[in-house]
Amino acid sequence: MIKKTSTLIIIVTLLIIQNSTMVFAANTQNYIRHYAWSSDWGAKIFAFYIDYSASNYTNYPMKYIQNHYVSAFNQQPLNPEIGNGNCYLVGIDFTDSSSGTLIGTLDSSKFIKNPNGSIWNPNTLVYFDLYSSSIISYYSTSVKTINASVETIFHLDPSWIPSNWTDYTNLSFTF
């Protein structure tokens, strides 16, 4: 009787562990520098950061990525006369790293102003601070690496040469 009860407890415990949900958070920060020239100001460096983080979890055999936070900011803005440009979120693509298959995408319309707020240093220029609860899900019975690629556009006044750039910030999830 005790042996059957012990075996039953072990089986139930293993089933619970197998179907349990494990949640992890991942984040990355990308320091971006663009060089531009203006007849009024000469050559300048326009530098800023892109931050991206999200939660990933498994409920076997499904895998999920959600709670996306993305921001663009400049901790040392230039003089207002020179300008600091503008940065815009285009979207995020999620691809299977082994096959290159696109698993999902979030365009900028899926994001709202970060409802949790962020604490910024007083002189920080915040281009955007966004959040999306959208879920990217996929079926997989094995460990996979998913690459998230955040696409942003940085734009300067047309008097600067060049005045437009597209940037990518990448984060990998392995689970």
Side-chain angles (χ1 to χ4, degrees), residues 1-141:
M1 180 73 171
I2 293 177
K3 195 171 188 178
K4 285 183 180 181
T5 304
S6 297
T7 305
L8 184 60
I9 290 172
I10 291 171
I11 291 172
V12 169
T13 303
L14 289 174
L15 287 173
I16 290 171
I17 290 171
Q18 179 181 351
N19 290 319
S20 68
T21 301
M22 300 294 289
V23 178
F24 302 96
N27 67 324
T28 189
Q29 185 177 78
N30 189 11
Y31 180 63
I32 298 171
R33 298 178 352 162
H34 294 300
Y35 300 87
W37 180 86
S38 162
S39 60
D40 294 330
W41 301 102
K44 294 286 181 195
I45 298 172
F46 295 87
F48 59 98
Y49 292 90
I50 302 290
D51 271 350
Y52 171 62
S53 65
S55 300
N56 59 300
Y57 64 96
T58 300
N59 192 0
Y60 187 83
M62 296 301 294
K63 298 182 183 207
Y64 305 92
I65 302 171
Q66 70 174 21
N67 296 323
H68 310 269
Y69 291 90
V70 63
S71 61
F73 59 95
N74 183 341
Q75 292 180 324
Q76 297 177 336
L78 299 172
N79 295 329
E81 306 86 47
I82 297 173
N84 290 284
N86 291 302
C87 189
Y88 306 96
L89 175 66
V90 176
I92 306 174
D93 287 339
F94 300 86
T95 56
D96 181 325
S97 67
S98 61
S99 68
T101 303
L102 182 66
I103 290 173
T105 188
L106 297 175
D107 64 33
S108 60
S109 70
K110 301 285 188 201
F111 286 83
I112 60 171
K113 184 179 179 192
N114 182 353
N116 301 316
S118 296
I119 299 173
W120 300 100
N121 289 331
N123 294 328
T124 301
L125 169 63
V126 179
Y127 295 111
F128 59 81
D129 183 16
L130 304 171
Y131 168 76
S132 175
S133 61
S134 296
I135 299 172
I136 302 296
S137 63
Y138 63 99
Y139 176 90
S140 177
T141 58

